Amino acid sequence: SMFDKEKHVCDATEFSYKEYYISCDYGTQNATVFGLWGKTTDGKHVLIKEYYYSGRDKGIQKTDTQYADDLEKFIGDYKVKRIIVDPSAASFIAELRKRGYRVQKAKNDVLDGIRLTASFMVQDKLLIDEDCVETLKEIASYSWDSDSSKAGEDKPVKEYDHSMDQMRYYFFTVVGNRKVRINKKECIRRKLIRMHSFLKKLFLINTVCSLMLHQPAKTFFVAADAAVDLVCMTIFQLVYPVRISQ
């Protein structure tokens, strides 16, 4: 197992945080779990506290309104940036939005979510407060389905995994989504660099051709070349402040 109690269990009060999020796995008969996540100033992700309620175990199923009331108490004075919710919980999402919360449906790609979460655990950037007892129980028993593995499929055992689901929602929706945006920005930057290189080559050809023409044409091509160069470099420096290698 990648989980190491010595490395991954902590006292959440020892860290400084710059952002807070709530991640929810909603259940009607199964357990409903809320996790309060904090992103630290040094790039770690800490499960600060948990809420865990199983209607099946308690014998009483709560309504959307009751869960929303519980969530409000759970958040308390924390300034939560966003609430990530199980995408299948349509009525619960509607109840939270009615109360003015900023809600985002979780990205529910199971395998990719597990891989991303595991990568942060391997880097010791995923930490769990020592009082999150239900999450710690789940993470210790989390395993792959052996029957699915024999059939050539990777699937986790879908039992007692509700806090694992909210954890996956947080990493794949909040942390993973941010990485995608960074990659898109880098992709656009590279396209602009290629466009700049192409335009430079094009006007270099035009400038060479102008040498065989009379002086006014030469002056026009040189001026156009300089103008395009200036515009491109200005865009790069304002929008993507990086050094463009020629």
Side-chain angles (χ1 to χ4, degrees):
S1 174
M2 289 174 288
F3 176 70
D4 185 332
K5 189 175 179 180
E6 295 299 318
K7 292 180 179 179
H8 301 122
V9 178
C10 69
D11 178 355
T13 62
E14 295 179 351
F15 297 90
S16 297
Y17 300 95
K18 61 181 182 179
E19 291 177 355
Y20 297 98
Y21 295 86
I22 296 287
S23 187
C24 308
D25 184 49
Y26 183 87
T28 48
Q29 291 300 316
N30 291 322
T32 290
V33 180
F34 310 147
L36 173 67
W37 288 91
K39 183 177 180 182
T40 69
T41 51
D42 60 347
K44 291 183 172 63
H45 302 270
V46 182
L47 181 60
I48 298 169
K49 63 175 183 172
E50 67 179 8
Y51 166 96
Y52 194 100
Y53 184 86
S54 171
R56 182 182 285 119
D57 293 345
K58 299 288 185 182
I60 301 172
Q61 179 58 47
K62 291 189 176 186
T63 64
D64 290 333
T65 301
Q66 289 173 315
Y67 278 129
D69 289 342
D70 288 352
L71 179 59
E72 195 170 326
K73 294 174 187 173
F74 181 74
I75 292 173
D77 295 329
Y78 286 97
K79 297 188 185 305
V80 173
K81 192 168 183 179
R82 230 166 37 245
I83 300 174
I84 312 303
V85 182
D86 178 348
S88 66
S91 59
F92 184 54
I93 290 172
E95 176 65 28
L96 294 180
R97 285 177 172 162
K98 187 172 72 176
R99 297 183 183 214
Y101 289 113
R102 188 182 177 196
V103 181
Q104 180 179 355
K105 292 181 181 180
K107 294 175 70 175
N108 196 19
D109 304 69
V110 178
L111 292 182
D112 287 341
I114 290 173
R115 290 187 188 105
L116 182 65
T117 303
S119 72
F120 277 84
M121 186 173 286
V122 168
Q123 298 173 67
D124 298 336
K125 290 186 177 181
L126 188 169
L127 303 173
I128 301 168
D129 184 81
E130 58 196 357
D131 289 334
C132 296
V133 292
E134 296 296 336
T135 302
L136 292 172
K137 285 179 188 175
E138 284 192 16
I139 205 167
S141 62
Y142 199 63
S143 61
W144 294 100
D145 188 322
S146 57
D147 290 335
S148 295
S149 297
K150 290 174 185 176
E153 294 183 84
D154 287 330
K155 286 184 181 178
V157 176
K158 289 302 294 176
E159 184 179 359
Y160 202 55
D161 62 347
H162 312 295
S163 193
M164 295 298 93
D165 284 346
Q166 68 81 15
M167 184 182 295
R168 173 168 57 81
Y169 293 157
Y170 168 73
F171 276 95
F172 202 56
T173 309
V174 176
V175 186
N177 198 40
R178 184 168 298 170
K179 288 194 167 190
V180 168
R181 287 198 297 270
I182 291 170
N183 288 340
K184 283 182 178 177
K185 185 174 179 179
E186 174 63 17
C187 183
I188 293 170
R189 185 183 73 85
R190 291 177 182 178
K191 286 181 179 178
L192 284 173
I193 291 173
R194 287 197 295 270
M195 180 185 75
H196 176 260
S197 177
F198 171 76
L199 289 172
K200 287 290 289 181
K201 289 175 182 176
L202 178 63
F203 278 94
L204 178 61
I205 292 170
N206 284 338
T207 302
V208 170
C209 290
S210 73
L211 293 175
M212 297 180 289
L213 301 174
H214 53 81
Q215 187 61 35
K218 177 181 177 181
T219 303
F220 167 77
F221 283 119
V222 171
D225 180 25
V228 169
D229 193 37
L230 178 62
V231 169
C232 286
M233 294 305 292
T234 301
I235 291 173
F236 295 146
Q237 292 304 314
L238 289 177
V239 184
Y240 300 96
V242 293
R243 185 177 183 84
I244 306 298
S245 57
Q246 299 295 330

